[in-house]
Amino acid sequence: MKFFLDTANIAEIEEAASWGVISGVTTNPTLYAREGGNLAEFHNHIKRICAIVDGPVSAETVGLKRDEIIREGLELAELAPNVVVKVPTMPEGLAATKALSDKGIKVNMTLCFTAPQALLAARSGAAYISPFVGRFDDISEDGIDHLANVVQALSNYDFGHDVEVIAASVRHPQHVLAASLIGADIATVPMSTLAKCVKHPLTDRGLKAFLDDWEKVKNS
Ligand code: E4P
């Protein structure tokens, strides 16, 4: 499973990229707003992220009509060769995805929750589909069960183009584990979750013991 970083924070992206573990980045309007982003700077911000990351960078459209989504998508795709246009799962979004993917532009269909939505996204030409896990858990449904349905349903068919499932709305390492066991192609994770994935108390305890013993070696 590949890891994408789910953030618009430049410092986090630089740090995770330096670890050599991320294969892409996903952003959304909320994540950009969290960075204090303004409209005038949006395209530059996406360009900066694209220059740091050696892999796809999802930038989201905000239009609700297909023509607006297509226009935004074409502008975003011009920013850098690794831009992926992120489009919400809705009828107008499907139409825009079809038009954009017909032009060779990669689309990540976002706000996907169910297998039927994912099947439609794949048919419309989406290269990436992002089922949200944590938001199901937020309403007392098992997001991992829905993710498993998406992965299984898509694996039953050939869509004539590559489709990768991005486990999204991932909140903790348990989600990462479950997504990998299900066979999601990618997990997009916040920096806090990536940091939790690398931590283990036995690693910390073992490291402390090694360093304490090395002190003895040095002082002997
Ligand atoms: C996916 O691409 C979204 O940006 C993200 O994973 C949403 O996560 P959230 O539900 O924690 O906001």
Side-chain angles (χ1 to χ4, degrees), residues 114-209:
T114 68
Q117 286 180 311
L119 288 165
L120 294 173
R123 283 287 163 220
S124 74
Y128 300 94
I129 300 175
S130 295
F132 279 35
V133 175
R135 293 191 192 187
F136 264 126
D137 295 3
D138 292 342
I139 58 161
S140 302
E141 281 194 49
D142 190 339
I144 290 297
D145 279 353
H146 288 282
L147 174 67
N149 287 343
V150 168
V151 170
Q152 177 64 57
L154 293 180
S155 74
N156 288 341
Y157 305 100
D158 179 0
F159 296 95
H161 64 278
D162 288 343
V163 183
E164 290 189 88
V165 173
I166 307 177
S169 187
V170 164
R171 304 276 171 77
H172 46 67
Q174 207 57 32
H175 280 157
V176 174
L177 170 64
S180 69
L181 295 179
I182 285 166
D185 301 289
I186 300 153
T188 189
V189 299
M191 190 64 188
S192 57
T193 302
L194 199 67
K196 282 179 192 160
C197 285
V198 78
K199 275 291 259 185
H200 196 280
L202 291 178
T203 305
D204 295 344
R205 195 193 300 174
L207 178 60
K208 183 175 182 322

Side-chain angles (χ1 to χ4, degrees), residues 4-7 25-31 34 58 60 86 108-111 113 130-136 138 166-171 188-190:
F4 285 5
L5 202 64
D6 196 27
T7 186
V25 164
T26 51
T27 68
N28 65 36
T30 302
L31 294 170
R34 198 174 288 164
S58 291
E60 192 158 337
K86 207 174 182 193
N108 171 5
M109 286 221 90
T110 189
L111 288 169
F113 288 87
S130 295
F132 279 35
V133 175
R135 293 191 192 187
F136 264 126
D138 292 342
I166 307 177
S169 187
V170 164
R171 304 276 171 77
T188 189
V189 299

Side-chain angles (χ1 to χ4, degrees), residues 32-103:
Y32 182 58
R34 198 174 288 164
E35 297 311 311
N38 62 53
L39 191 55
E41 268 306 300
F42 178 55
H43 282 182
N44 274 339
H45 196 83
I46 295 297
K47 276 189 190 173
R48 282 181 74 193
I49 296 173
C50 288
I52 300 166
V53 181
D54 185 15
V57 173
S58 291
E60 192 158 337
T61 58
V62 292
L64 294 177
K65 294 289 178 197
R66 67 190 72 186
D67 290 348
E68 294 170 310
I69 302 169
I70 293 166
R71 182 181 44 75
E72 285 176 57
L74 291 172
E75 285 171 9
L76 290 168
E78 282 292 309
L79 298 177
N82 51 337
V83 163
V84 168
V85 179
K86 207 174 182 193
V87 175
T89 305
M90 56 185 180
E92 292 294 303
L94 290 172
T97 297
K98 160 83 176 135
L100 290 167
S101 56
D102 279 353
K103 292 178 190 294

